[in-house]
Amino acid sequence: MSRAEAKRAEAKRALVPYESLANALGADRIARELQAAGHEVVRTGGFGLAWLEPMIVIDGEAFGPVQDLDALDTVALGPLDELPALARQQRLVFDRCGHTDPFEYDPSWLLEQLEREPRQIIEEIKASGLRGRGGAGFPAHIKWQTVYDAVCKTGAPQKYIVVNADEGDSGTFADRLIMEGDPFRLIEGMLLSGHATGADKGLVYLRSEYPLAAEIFARAIDLARTLGLLEKFDIELFIGAGAYICGEETSLLESLEGKRGEIRVKPPVPAVAGLFGQPTLVHNVITLCAVPGILQIGGKAYADIGVGASTGSMTFQLAGNIKRGGLYELPFGLSLRELIEDWGGGTRTGNPFGAVQVGGPLGAYLFENDLDTPLSYEEMAKLGAGIGHGGLVVFDDTVDLVQQAHFAFAFCEHESCGKCTPCRIGSVRGKEAVAALASGEYTESRLEVIEDLCEVMEQTSLCQMGGMTPIPVRSALGWAFSAQGGNRSGIGPK
Amino acid sequence: MPDSDAIRELASACLGQVGAPVTALRKIVESHGHIEDEHVRIVADVFNLSLADVRGIVSFYADFRTAPRGRKHIRICQAEACQSVGSRALTKEMTKALGLELGETSDDFGVSLEGVYCLGLCASGPCAMVNERILVHATREELLT
């Protein structure tokens, strides 16, 4: 009997993920088969190592990707605790995810924290240097302080915590993974932020493309209520209806009020006048999920992780054409190359690396000569790029960057809320201009028109949808028509 | 119970909730498959909104379809992570195989084809959904069976 077989024979407790990706790959069937073989099966969250899913753990030994239980030894990964792809991460947000049954929750730590002085908690968040993980990277404590002060000064009758779980950026799945795998991490973040800012109502805006996250989070709310956690702070789950723009915080608030998700002009910012005009703390899922970890290790210790003003761990999501894609929670500061090559193992197709789009559809395309840049807010900004929600989409060298620029405009056209002209019309005109380029009607002046359009959109759009669409457009076209880019589209000057 | 009474009941049940009109319309799509003009009138009435308000909401969100989808509803991800692993080619093959463009439904309502922007399985693309079932590393053969 092999080591794996021997282990399996004696083992009882088996961890099997209950998570969208693992389920799509047969985790339910594997769970049933393990149960039939006499194991005590615990359905956990996913570890986020996409290429190993379905990944199971039997008595501390990991296996993946599992398809056939009779051939487990062929996919043995060794002890879970020593699996480099997990052990070398610094998991503060995802520390429980994958290891535990999300519905076996001990609230004692949380209840202890809720006894702390609100000001003390805000001070910890300030000391941690936590910045918003949704894309903008705004210092979290400023929002917290604003919402906290709102009560002292105006005595506002109602304050809200609104969670942005409208994770629409391609290449991102951290919100989904944590809501499916450790929903209580988010509930902790919500209760703690509510306690600190004086809000007693929390709303989670979840996209409709995540039905399993909705099912699991709804169950978690019920359990939290049973545990008596929602007596002073209530949580409601709201499901969106398919609109990327609702990831923009003011559009999200409009949608939460039951309207078209048209963005609002800022100021006022939501922390001053948000949902129904009340002070509202709007945060991405991962930002709030970072809060418990900060309070566990202390704000100062959290700030020591990472580099410069990019403190703590970031939940990087490696996606697209990548061999070992998945979620890697790591301190800020590692280079793009380390993430893509060391962690990700290069392209899945085995072709040479072509480009990586960092930070979603509104993020920059970066290339071979950018790969040694450290992943931090500051260093990425120097490239005219951003980290966004931490998603990286890798392309091999067959990528057609003119086509990607076309898509950037087309996506903006598709998802624009229509409120402001530069975004609504600019996206259409931009798409047409790039299409003309791609069909071979290349002229210098056409590139100038596109650049002009980008400038108008960037300077005059009301929100980041129109304002940031020029980022992927410029970076993609800039490369496609450079000597280094080799004019892969076969158009333009050589 | 006649259809319109059921719809009214469904919408009324959302009264008092945050974002109720959007939730009511979502529930109508879930239970009825799509939103008809009559449903728009009912929702407007229940929430004391104008018809234009409700039509505005319906036209804004991708999920609020106003025509029935096919019994087999195929959605293929069109976003960047799936593009990088061949979703454009897969989409082209499917439009050819089915004789449908994205957003179209066959005349007998047997099948409909739609684009979707990201299912959050971006390291395992191309991704697709057939009715409620999620497919990763999707192939033409899988989508057609």
Side-chain angles (χ1 to χ4, degrees):
Chain A
M1 219 170 5
S2 75
R3 178 162 162 262
E5 281 165 342
K7 274 277 173 196
R8 197 186 142 205
E10 68 186 49
K12 280 289 161 215
R13 192 176 158 91
L15 309 183
V16 182
Y18 184 66
E19 175 263 336
S20 293
L21 176 60
N23 287 0
L25 291 165
D28 286 333
R29 172 182 58 81
I30 293 159
R32 280 195 303 275
E33 289 175 8
L34 282 166
Q35 225 149 17
H39 289 279
E40 178 208 344
V41 173
V42 180
R43 297 305 294 268
T44 61
F47 288 107
L49 306 176
W51 85 100
L52 294 178
E53 295 292 356
M55 176 176 151
I56 67 171
V57 180
I58 300 176
D59 254 21
E61 295 284 319
F63 303 88
V66 176
Q67 279 309 324
D68 181 358
L69 288 183
D70 292 328
L72 266 189
D73 52 346
T74 62
V75 291
L77 300 168
L80 178 70
D81 296 341
E82 292 166 24
L83 189 64
L86 274 181
R88 288 172 54 218
Q89 293 188 42
Q90 188 155 6
R91 293 196 156 210
L92 297 169
V93 170
F94 279 84
D95 60 340
R96 290 192 300 233
C97 192
H99 297 277
T100 56
D101 176 346
F103 302 108
E104 268 176 27
Y105 181 68
D106 174 2
S108 47
W109 177 82
L110 175 63
L111 292 171
E112 238 169 70
Q113 294 296 311
L114 291 172
E115 295 298 318
R116 293 177 70 172
E117 275 296 308
R119 289 219 62 103
Q120 229 183 29
I121 295 178
I122 296 178
E123 282 308 314
E124 291 285 356
I125 299 303
K126 188 174 177 181
S128 75
L130 177 69
R131 296 167 66 168
R133 300 290 192 245
F138 189 77
H141 75 93
I142 298 179
K143 287 190 188 178
W144 288 45
Q145 189 66 50
T146 308
V147 177
Y148 175 87
D149 288 341
V151 109
C152 305
K153 286 177 189 152
T154 65
Q158 177 71 62
K159 294 194 278 191
Y160 296 101
I161 305 295
V162 168
V163 181
N164 186 344
D166 194 43
E167 185 175 54
D169 285 359
S170 177
T172 65
F173 39 84
D175 298 355
R176 177 182 67 72
L177 274 175
I178 200 80
M179 287 183 72
E180 291 177 353
D182 190 3
F184 272 92
R185 181 48 41 110
L186 179 57
I187 290 174
E188 287 168 352
M190 292 179 76
L191 285 168
L192 290 164
S193 62
H195 172 65
T197 57
D200 62 2
K201 175 97 186 161
L203 291 140
V204 179
Y205 189 103
L206 178 66
R207 66 200 298 256
S208 62
E209 290 85 349
Y210 285 178
L212 190 69
E215 172 199 313
I216 291 172
F217 196 74
R219 265 184 72 190
I221 295 175
D222 288 344
L223 178 56
R225 194 161 281 129
T226 310
L227 292 171
L229 296 173
L230 301 186
E231 277 157 21
K232 290 186 202 148
F233 182 95
D234 196 37
I235 297 178
E236 207 175 307
L237 177 64
F238 179 89
I239 311 294
Y244 175 78
I245 192 62
C246 289
E248 197 281 336
E249 60 179 3
T250 63
S251 163
L252 183 150
L253 294 173
E254 286 289 301
S255 185
L256 256 185
E257 292 182 10
K259 305 176 202 157
R260 287 166 69 87
E262 277 183 15
I263 65 118
R264 296 175 184 171
V265 180
K266 287 192 275 192
V269 294
V272 174
L275 189 65
F276 302 114
Q278 300 291 355
T280 304
L281 184 70
V282 186
H283 269 314
N284 168 253
V285 171
I286 299 298
T287 316
L288 285 171
C289 289
V291 169
I294 290 169
L295 298 182
Q296 270 158 14
I297 66 172
K300 177 72 183 63
Y302 188 85
D304 288 339
I305 303 167
V307 285
S310 303
T311 61
S313 61
M314 182 72 193
T315 49
F316 293 108
Q317 300 133 77
L318 207 41
N321 195 332
I322 189 84
K323 204 171 282 166
R324 298 193 292 269
L327 180 129
Y328 298 101
E329 187 176 348
L330 296 164
F332 284 100
L334 81 165
S335 71
L336 278 164
R337 191 183 302 283
E338 285 172 83
L339 191 54
I340 293 167
E341 293 177 4
D342 300 349
W343 290 90
T347 63
R348 193 205 294 169
T349 46
N351 294 335
F353 167 84
V356 57
Q357 190 181 23
V358 184
L362 305 175
Y365 285 93
L366 300 176
F367 305 95
E368 178 63 38
N369 52 348
D370 301 314
L371 289 186
D372 294 310
T373 312
L375 280 156
S376 71
Y377 293 112
E378 298 79 15
E379 294 298 323
M380 294 306 282
K382 285 184 197 161
L383 294 181
I387 285 185
H389 184 43
L392 289 87
V393 175
V394 175
F395 294 79
D396 69 13
D397 66 345
T398 62
V399 61
D400 179 341
L401 286 150
V402 176
Q403 197 175 26
Q404 294 312 120
H406 183 266
F407 177 76
F409 276 128
F411 185 68
C412 182
E413 177 194 14
H414 190 267
E415 301 293 347
S416 174
C417 81
K419 183 154 180 160
C420 73
T421 315
C423 177
R424 186 183 65 243
I425 309 288
S427 55
V428 183
R429 294 295 168 252
K431 190 183 79 169
E432 291 166 354
V434 178
L437 265 188
S439 67
E441 294 173 36
Y442 174 87
T443 56
E444 278 290 327
S445 64
R446 197 178 299 280
L447 272 186
E448 281 166 26
V449 166
I450 294 170
E451 175 47 36
D452 247 22
L453 193 58
C454 282
E455 195 182 324
V456 171
M457 288 177 72
E458 185 181 64
Q459 302 291 329
T460 63
S461 294
L462 285 176
C463 82
Q464 306 288 40
M465 179 88 227
M468 286 174 68
T469 292
I471 293 176
V473 170
R474 279 174 173 148
S475 54
L477 290 182
W479 177 263
F481 293 103
S482 69
Q484 295 159 300
N487 284 308
R488 204 173 291 106
S489 308
I491 51 178
K494 294 290 172 200
Chain B
M1 180 159 35
D3 180 52
S4 62
D5 288 352
I7 297 288
R8 182 173 291 275
E9 197 167 294
L10 226 161
S12 304
C14 299
L15 277 166
Q17 289 177 22
V18 169
V22 170
T23 302
L25 290 166
R26 187 170 53 75
K27 292 199 165 164
I28 291 171
V29 173
E30 276 170 13
S31 73
H32 190 79
H34 68 283
I35 296 166
E36 292 181 20
D37 225 33
E38 172 66 8
H39 306 159
V40 171
R41 271 189 284 277
I42 294 169
V43 170
D45 185 46
V46 167
F47 295 102
N48 194 22
L49 294 167
S50 74
L51 281 175
D53 276 334
V54 182
R55 287 192 180 122
I57 298 169
V58 171
S59 66
F60 188 86
Y61 297 94
D63 292 355
F64 294 159
R65 64 177 69 83
T66 50
R69 66 181 205 185
R71 285 182 294 282
K72 178 174 179 178
H73 183 55
I74 303 172
R75 304 205 289 171
I76 306 173
C77 180
Q78 302 294 306
E80 292 92 333
C82 288
Q83 288 170 358
S84 77
V85 283
S87 69
R88 284 194 180 99
L90 177 66
T91 304
K92 208 171 270 175
E93 285 174 31
M94 289 300 293
T95 56
K96 210 171 141 197
L98 298 172
L100 298 172
E101 292 301 317
L102 288 182
E104 289 184 348
T105 305
S106 66
D107 291 337
D108 63 353
F109 295 102
V111 59
S112 48
L113 189 62
E114 197 176 74
V116 62
Y117 289 95
C118 199
L119 299 169
L121 304 152
C122 313
S124 315
C127 302
M129 279 183 93
V130 175
N131 295 341
E132 308 313 315
R133 193 164 63 97
I134 293 171
L135 299 172
V136 292
H137 305 298
T139 61
R140 174 181 177 273
E141 289 66 37
E142 257 183 305
L143 289 176
L144 287 173
T145 49

